[in-house]
């Protein structure tokens, strides 16, 4: 654990709140219209054939050509170093993976997992994945819809009456709106939220979902306005627990992690107790000194259903492939997930998942940043290609750069 006096960082609260939990690309953009994607390609072998023969191991198998493997590694190293000086705003360590129906699969790593020891990052290493957790939570919610235990048009007050009485218009706010960010409910992690002083005073605190939601009380929702759905996903996690009479963690484990054999994926707030450990997380919380502090110790129960999970590139590729090929949801429910609110500038938000335009076409994105780490999975449905990038520092330009450089290597110039 880091040896630091966390309460001293109150001056950087506003900066912190704009970064935590993946508020990326379109934070304050008003929604325009609802647009629906086409359904995923049915019956295609896509990516899973690359992975089914590979049992879990500490060393993932690469099947791309030697030339492409060298190019991918060189690109990863170059792009990471171009993002800045490790430990001083740059990316200390990163992993990258591709799975392509045409080229094969590749897993690589660059940099260090721990600046203090210089331990190199390995391709199979585990990272916090921040708001990529939302897609796991959304998948469980939609599975319950498939089973008839929930309806997308169920209102908040139906499932959480004791919470709903503190939220105006809760009788009009639906599960669909909680999922796609149009409930208008205040984001409890917004930069003006009182929660930040409490986090700073005790970064080791185990938070209860009811405590997180209490920071929105007294705030008037604007239904239909798009607000980043951190609060919505805390409420959704509570609805899952009410509907199943069990924990959200057990639902994610039994419905997704175990069936898919995700050996490196965990729903856990105490990242110091993750089997196999995690890559250290770095973030400059004293902006005036330009030095990144080690924040691996922060208790991520503060994000719970919105951002507490840990995973690696192998598991995320498998999860994305199964999800997008309709192995976790029924076709009509997956179509609902992939119906996006148009946020402008090429971005959209569905039910716990992003869409964004790339020079190579539309991508569906599972992504998020946490306190010192960032994760992104891009799936290009018309190309049969998945790219996953994980890093132990949240550097905005790095992700677009590594995505575009990787896609250009695999697909050619657009």
């Amino acid at each position: 654990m880091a040896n630091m006096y966390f309460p001293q960082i109150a001056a950087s609260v506003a900066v912190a709140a704009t970064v935590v939990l993946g508020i990326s690309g379109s934070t304050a953009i008003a929604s325009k219209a609802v647009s629906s994607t086409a359904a995923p390609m049915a019956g295609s072998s896509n990516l899973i054939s690359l992975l089914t023969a590979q049992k879990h191991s500490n060393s993932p198998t690469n099947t791309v050509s030697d030339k492409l493997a060298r190019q991918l590694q060189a690109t990863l190293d170059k792009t990471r170093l171009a993002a800045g000086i490790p430990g001083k705003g740059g990316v200390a360590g990163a992993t990258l993976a591709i799975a392509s129906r045409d080229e094969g699969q590749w897993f690589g790593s660059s940099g260090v997992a721990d600046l203090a020891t210089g331990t190199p990052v390995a391709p199979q290493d585990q990272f916090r994945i921040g708001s990529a957790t939302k897609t796991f939570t959304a998948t469980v919610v939609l599975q319950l819809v498939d089973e008839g235990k929930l309806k997308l048009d169920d209102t908040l007050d139906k499932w959480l009456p004791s919470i709903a009485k503190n939220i105006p218009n809760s009788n009009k706010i639906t599960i669909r709106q909680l999922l796609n960010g149009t409930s208008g409910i205040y984001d409890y992690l917004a930069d003006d939220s009182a929660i930040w002083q409490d986090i700073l005073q005790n970064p080791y605190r185990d938070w209860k979902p009811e405590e997180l939601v209490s920071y929105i009380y007294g705030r008037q929702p604007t239904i239909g306005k798009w607000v980043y759905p951190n609060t919505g996903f805390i409420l959704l996690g509570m609805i899952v627990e009410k509907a199943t009479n069990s924990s959200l963690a057990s639902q994610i484990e039994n419905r997704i992690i175990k069936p898919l054999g995700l050996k490196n994926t965990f729903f856990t707030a105490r990242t110091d107790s993750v089997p196999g450990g995690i890559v250290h997380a770095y973030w400059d919380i004293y902006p005036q000194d330009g030095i990144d502090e080690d924040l691996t110790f922060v208790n991520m129960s503060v994000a719970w259903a919105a951002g507490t999970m840990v995973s690696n590139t192998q598991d995320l590729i498998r999860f994305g492939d199964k999800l997008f090929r309709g192995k976790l949801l029924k076709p009509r429910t997956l179509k609902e997930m992939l119906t996006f609110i148009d946020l402008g500038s090429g971005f959209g938000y569905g039910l716990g998942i992003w869409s964004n335009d790339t020079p190579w076409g539309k991508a569906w994105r599972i992504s998020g940043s946490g306190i010192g780490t960032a994760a992104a999975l891009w799936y290009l449905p018309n190309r049969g290609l998945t790219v996953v990038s994980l890093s132990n520092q949240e550097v905005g330009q790095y992700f677009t750069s590594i995505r575009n450089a990787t896609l250009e290597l695999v697909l050619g110039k657009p």
Side-chain angles (χ1 to χ4, degrees):
M1 293 189 178
N3 182 15
M4 57 187 295
Y5 183 51
F6 210 82
Q8 292 179 346
I9 68 175
S12 63
V13 171
V15 175
T18 64
V19 178
V20 171
L21 298 180
I23 309 177
S24 58
S26 48
T27 316
I29 306 171
S31 62
K32 295 181 179 178
V34 177
S35 61
S36 177
T37 68
M41 294 176 287
S44 63
S45 60
N46 277 4
L47 310 177
I48 200 65
S49 61
L50 299 173
L51 302 172
T52 50
Q54 178 185 321
K55 294 182 179 179
H56 172 75
S57 68
N58 289 329
S59 181
T61 301
N62 292 333
T63 61
V64 301
S65 68
D66 290 343
K67 178 181 179 181
L68 181 56
R70 290 193 298 270
Q71 291 174 324
L72 287 165
Q73 185 63 57
T75 295
L76 174 57
D77 292 334
K78 179 181 178 180
T79 307
R80 183 185 64 82
L81 291 174
I85 300 172
K88 297 182 178 181
V91 177
T95 55
L96 177 69
I98 70 161
S100 165
R101 66 187 176 199
D102 298 321
E103 301 292 344
Q105 65 181 21
W106 180 83
F107 300 88
S109 59
S110 179
V112 298
D114 184 344
L115 284 168
T117 65
T119 303
V121 177
Q124 69 273 15
D125 278 355
Q126 301 164 163
F127 290 70
R128 289 176 181 161
I129 61 171
S131 279
T133 302
K134 289 182 173 68
T135 312
F136 286 82
T137 300
T139 300
V140 170
V141 170
L142 293 174
Q143 287 177 336
L144 293 172
V145 170
D146 281 337
E147 295 164 12
K149 296 176 182 176
L150 295 175
K151 295 180 181 178
L152 286 173
D153 293 327
D154 283 349
T155 54
L156 180 58
D157 64 335
K158 174 180 178 178
W159 286 102
L160 302 176
S162 62
I163 297 292
K165 67 183 181 182
N166 299 300
I167 302 175
N169 299 320
S170 61
N171 63 328
K172 299 178 181 178
I173 294 170
T174 66
I175 286 177
R176 186 194 307 275
Q177 291 170 329
L178 295 174
L179 284 163
N180 69 14
T182 61
S183 70
I185 293 177
Y186 172 73
D187 178 3
Y188 79 100
L189 286 171
D191 57 8
D192 63 344
S193 174
I195 196 173
W196 286 102
Q197 289 297 333
D198 294 332
I199 295 171
L200 298 172
Q201 289 296 324
N202 184 7
Y204 306 102
R205 175 175 172 176
D206 279 312
W207 292 84
K208 292 180 172 58
E210 294 81 3
E211 294 172 331
L212 301 175
V213 173
S214 71
Y215 287 90
I216 73 169
Y217 294 166
R219 304 271 185 165
Q220 181 74 31
T222 307
I223 298 176
K225 178 183 178 181
W226 195 81
V227 178
Y228 191 71
N230 280 322
T231 307
F233 273 82
I234 301 302
L235 293 167
L236 288 164
M238 297 169 72
I239 290 171
V240 167
E241 295 196 333
K242 186 74 172 291
T244 63
N245 195 31
S246 65
S247 70
L248 175 63
S250 67
Q251 288 295 311
I252 288 177
E253 181 174 1
N254 292 327
R255 291 174 175 270
I256 302 174
I257 292 175
K258 286 183 177 178
L260 299 190
L262 307 183
K263 304 295 187 181
N264 299 99
T265 300
F266 307 94
F267 189 97
T268 178
R270 291 291 304 275
T271 46
D272 58 342
S273 62
V274 174
I278 68 165
V279 171
H280 283 231
Y282 296 99
W283 197 11
D284 183 7
I285 55 175
Y286 302 98
Q288 67 274 15
D289 69 4
I291 304 297
D292 296 331
E293 283 76 33
D294 188 335
L295 299 183
T296 315
F297 68 97
V298 176
N299 188 312
M300 292 304 294
S301 61
V302 72
W304 194 54
T308 197
M309 290 182 69
V310 167
S311 191
N312 71 355
T313 56
Q314 296 152 271
D315 280 6
L316 288 175
I317 281 180
R318 187 170 182 83
F319 170 60
D321 181 73
K322 287 288 193 179
L323 177 62
F324 295 138
R325 290 200 306 118
K327 301 301 183 181
L328 294 173
L329 299 173
K330 293 181 179 179
R332 63 179 178 82
T333 318
L334 181 57
K335 186 177 180 180
E336 293 276 11
M337 174 179 260
L338 298 175
T339 297
F340 298 98
I341 302 296
D342 182 2
L343 301 176
S345 302
F347 290 94
Y349 198 78
L351 305 188
I353 197 163
W354 294 90
S355 72
N356 62 267
D357 296 337
T358 79
W360 294 265
K362 183 73 69 177
W364 300 333
R365 174 162 56 91
I366 299 170
S367 66
S369 55
I371 298 178
T373 58
L377 178 152
W378 297 272
Y379 174 66
L380 279 67
N382 294 328
R383 303 280 192 153
L385 175 66
T386 300
V387 176
V388 179
S389 178
L390 303 176
S391 73
N392 61 357
Q393 165 65 293
E394 206 274 342
V395 180
Q397 72 274 18
Y398 171 75
F399 279 97
T400 301
S401 297
I402 193 62
R403 182 200 71 190
N404 288 349
T406 301
L407 291 177
E408 184 170 328
L409 276 177
V410 178
L411 300 175
K413 292 186 178 181

